[in-house]
Amino acid sequence: MAANYSRRNIIKLISITAASVIGPSPTRKTSAQWLDATPYQPAGPFYHPFEPLSIDNDLLYNLDPQSRATGEVIYIRGRLTDQSGNPIKNTRIEIWQANAYGRYNHPLQQNSKLPLDPNFLGFGHTLTSAGGHYRFRSIKPAPYTDGSEWIRPPHIHFAVITKDGTLWSTQMYFAEEKLNKHDFLLNSLPSNIAREQVIVKFRSNQNAPNENAKLGEFNIVLGMPGIIPNKS
């Protein structure tokens, strides 16, 4: 037990170092305009079955700090706000995703022919800061077949646990992926504007501790049912 605890502390130090380099997403001054809510997307069947405290916001390492997950390293950062632009602080955000081979670390895929990555748990969580900021380090997931013909594009599932304990979910997609044009869930969103809200363009980040790692900004706006915006 003591050895595992020691390894976990090392991993946390790696995560803290990476986070300090990447930093939070910029806090932009919001105008009086009412922000469009980020579209809801289903959580899907692979929501994590593990104990929440066994994971953190650094998915690149599981237990061994000398063995990182296989795949292209990415950083995701963003801000959680309501539709008035007010930050939503101290709120749990979770992500889960397929690995670099297109397989989820989930019992429902135990018979999959795709390989598991022993260094990639595939799930992470964090709490938003006072300004609503969050960040994750992970790898870019691979596409995978969902059914006989449907090939899902690379995507990452997000969940926000609201104050009343409700799980609100969406999915983040990668820009310039050809499979985006044919994805049933992405194209079930009602408009191009809605689709653009969940498609993220990743860019080079020379300050990242991982060579060639890219950074994506994914801001999440939670809808406020029953509240009518003041348009005056």
Side-chain angles (χ1 to χ4, degrees):
M1 290 298 292
N4 287 337
Y5 181 78
S6 176
R7 286 200 298 270
R8 198 59 181 168
N9 280 348
I10 294 172
I11 295 169
K12 286 183 178 179
L13 287 174
I14 294 172
S15 178
I16 291 169
T17 301
S20 64
V21 173
I22 297 302
S25 57
T27 302
R28 299 178 177 85
K29 292 183 178 179
T30 53
S31 63
Q33 69 180 11
W34 189 252
L35 301 175
D36 291 329
T38 301
Y40 165 86
Q41 293 238 280
F46 303 122
Y47 182 67
H48 70 80
F50 303 107
E51 290 295 328
L53 294 181
S54 67
I55 48 181
D56 54 28
N57 68 338
D58 189 359
L59 284 69
L60 196 58
Y61 295 88
N62 186 4
L63 288 177
D64 185 353
Q66 303 302 320
S67 301
R68 77 165 183 83
T70 298
E72 177 186 346
V73 180
I74 59 171
Y75 292 88
I76 308 166
R77 71 182 183 186
R79 192 163 179 252
L80 179 67
T81 68
D82 62 24
Q83 287 182 274
S84 296
N86 299 314
I88 302 177
K89 64 180 181 179
N90 298 327
T91 299
R92 183 182 177 90
I93 295 182
E94 301 178 340
I95 66 171
W96 63 103
Q97 62 173 91
N99 64 20
Y101 307 108
R103 178 173 174 174
Y104 285 87
N105 184 12
H106 192 282
L108 288 177
Q109 287 209 320
Q110 62 184 350
N111 296 321
S112 173
K113 296 180 180 179
L114 299 173
L116 277 173
D117 181 350
N119 299 313
F120 187 68
L121 186 60
F123 306 96
H125 73 85
T126 190
L127 289 177
T128 56
S129 70
H133 300 100
Y134 76 88
R135 55 191 168 221
F136 288 97
R137 178 166 68 166
S138 189
I139 55 99
K140 183 178 179 181
Y144 63 87
T145 301
D146 191 340
S148 59
E149 298 181 355
W150 184 15
I151 302 177
R152 295 229 59 202
H155 63 281
I156 295 177
H157 294 264
F158 276 72
V160 176
I161 312 302
T162 60
K163 290 181 179 180
D164 63 0
T166 301
L167 185 150
W168 176 91
S169 62
T170 192
Q171 298 180 30
M172 185 207 78
Y173 300 82
F174 292 75
E176 301 175 359
E177 290 287 337
K178 292 182 179 180
L179 289 171
N180 287 348
K181 295 181 180 180
H182 309 290
D183 187 66
F184 171 76
L185 284 176
L186 177 58
N187 289 287
S188 68
L189 296 177
S191 66
N192 287 333
I193 292 176
R195 286 185 282 276
E196 288 172 0
Q197 285 180 273
V198 295
I199 296 176
V200 174
K201 185 175 180 62
F202 281 74
R203 56 184 173 80
S204 298
N205 184 43
Q206 297 179 350
N207 294 325
N210 303 95
E211 187 177 0
N212 300 322
K214 293 185 177 180
L215 171 67
E217 302 264 357
F218 185 45
N219 295 316
I220 301 172
V221 180
L222 282 190
M224 300 166 68
I227 299 178
I228 301 174
N230 182 357
K231 298 182 179 179
S232 60

